[in-house]
Amino acid sequence: MTAVLGASVRVEATQRRFGDRIVLNSLDLEIAPSEFVVLLGPSGCGKSTLLRLLAGLDRPDAGRVTVPRARAIVFQNPRLLPWQRVWRNVTIGLDRRDAKRVAMEVLAEVGLGSQAKAWPRTLSGGEAQRVSLARALVSEPDLVLLDEPFAALDAITRLRMHDLVRALRHRHNAAMLLVTHDVDEAIALADRILVMREGRIGTQHRVDLDAEQRLRGYEREELRAQLLTEIGVSATGP
Amino acid sequence: MSTLVLTGHAPPRTPAAEVPEVEVFSPLSHRSATVARLVRLGRAPLGIYTVPVLLVVLWQVASSTGWLSPNLAASPVQIWHAAQSLWQQGLLWPDITKSLTRSGEGLAIGLTVGVVAGTIAGLWKLGDTLFTGVVSVINTIPLLAILPLMIVWFGIGEESKVLLIAMGATVPIYINLFSAIRGVDAGLVEMARAAGAGRWRVITRVLLPGALPGFLIGLRFALAYSVLGLVAAEQVNADSGIGFMINQAQTYERVDQIYLGIVIYAVLGLTAHQFVRVLERVFLTWRPSYNGS
């Protein structure tokens, strides 16, 4: 497959049906190399369906999906193999001689170097999700797909994971697509936020804010209120 | 509860009855921990063998007090003497090795067929279509009912005996391995594929290790069935083995030797059980499952 010039991901007029229900309706999407895109929307809007199409876990009924061959996915549930030690979980998709060395490096990056030989059952929820992040990054992907990976984590762990994802993203320089229904998470991480509506991309917002502005300030609150309205939640939240 | 306070005094204290009950958890003191360990040891000093040993002791007591007639049931001590005398005559060991060889050969064949067919059927739908029907049919036929057929087909030699044991062992291995492979979480398979694992990698790192607990359950049954198959095969037309020994003892009305044969079968069963337990302890350390309280 020849590399797609200009874009890392290109989705053209893509449709996906389940029975009579049209989940993705003539959807178009482009993601630039090393861009961080957040896909926002209420549950059932087709976010995860789109992500599965991009991951190659599902096929469209119509249209065309072009993605880099080197891609990885992080699921909401860490999906670690309970019968393999942590470092073996990281090397599951890796077919090279120095797999262990590479796995140890990535595990050190996510702060789990000392847990490499542990069984998955001994890990906390945040640690398990960091292992699954390491498993995604170990193959040096051009595109990382994240399917609500922090939804099940507590607030503090989630903030730490955001920092980690930001750091990893700059180091690995991969395009990332994060699916979430958490507006704050979207603002914290995205270069661009897409709001999904009725099976297609409804609106999009480019987020040109620095780290401080993403946490507080007028622009942030404005964007937050706007996004909440768009996904159908009243903006008068806390 | 509304309280009307008329004076400037402190409001009435809540009556003691309304204080919720509490539980306090603190580390066990060294002494009570030791006591707890002793109690646990006292409850089952020999683990799973406690009850069998206890039964043997009761049996001996019942025999010694004359409550059990020696013509019906030999006492454990008598069985032990029977074993000693047979051993000294050099009659016991050849029978045991003969039986072990038969069940070993049968198990080897049964394991191979069961593992190969079970794996193929677990991994591919075509395998399921080919094998599962036949295995289900065999599963419902009692081993003893097949034995005459085996003898017609293979004669009264070793083949019919070994094949009977093999059949007994194949079925539980196949059924358990098949359903264990099909029981592996589809999300894990999807994850492995998405992570770039090839077909072989998915089989060796996801499906087969994931099916190991189920396989070990099958193995446990296979070992037990191989002993059952052994009993069935050796009671008919054998000229050696433990079953033959029991038949001979019956002819000469040596109740103690009949019991000895049964005890040997029982010991084989217990050994098989212990063997699988060790395998589980070694290979299933990763399991986050409940261990009993």
Side-chain angles (χ1 to χ4, degrees), chain A residues 14-72:
Chain A
T14 292
Q15 195 188 57
R16 183 76 178 100
R17 278 189 302 266
F18 294 110
D20 288 340
R21 206 159 62 91
I22 296 173
V23 178
L24 298 180
N25 189 7
S26 174
L27 184 140
D28 294 295
L29 169 67
E30 272 191 24
I31 299 175
S34 78
E35 189 185 15
F36 199 123
V37 174
V38 172
L39 198 59
L40 198 61
S43 56
C45 70
K47 302 180 303 250
S48 292
T49 305
L50 176 57
L51 200 84
R52 292 177 61 80
L53 285 182
L54 296 179
L57 298 173
D58 193 12
R59 297 274 158 162
D61 293 311
R64 215 159 86 108
V65 176
T66 315
V67 288
R69 190 177 289 277
R71 59 181 184 274

Side-chain angles (χ1 to χ4, degrees), chain A residues 5 11 16 43 60 67 90 98 108 110 122 146-147 193 200 228:
Chain A
L5 290 174
V11 180
R16 183 76 178 100
S43 56
V67 288
V90 173
D98 57 345
V110 300
T122 63
L146 303 124
D147 188 4
I193 299 176
R200 59 177 84 196
L228 285 173

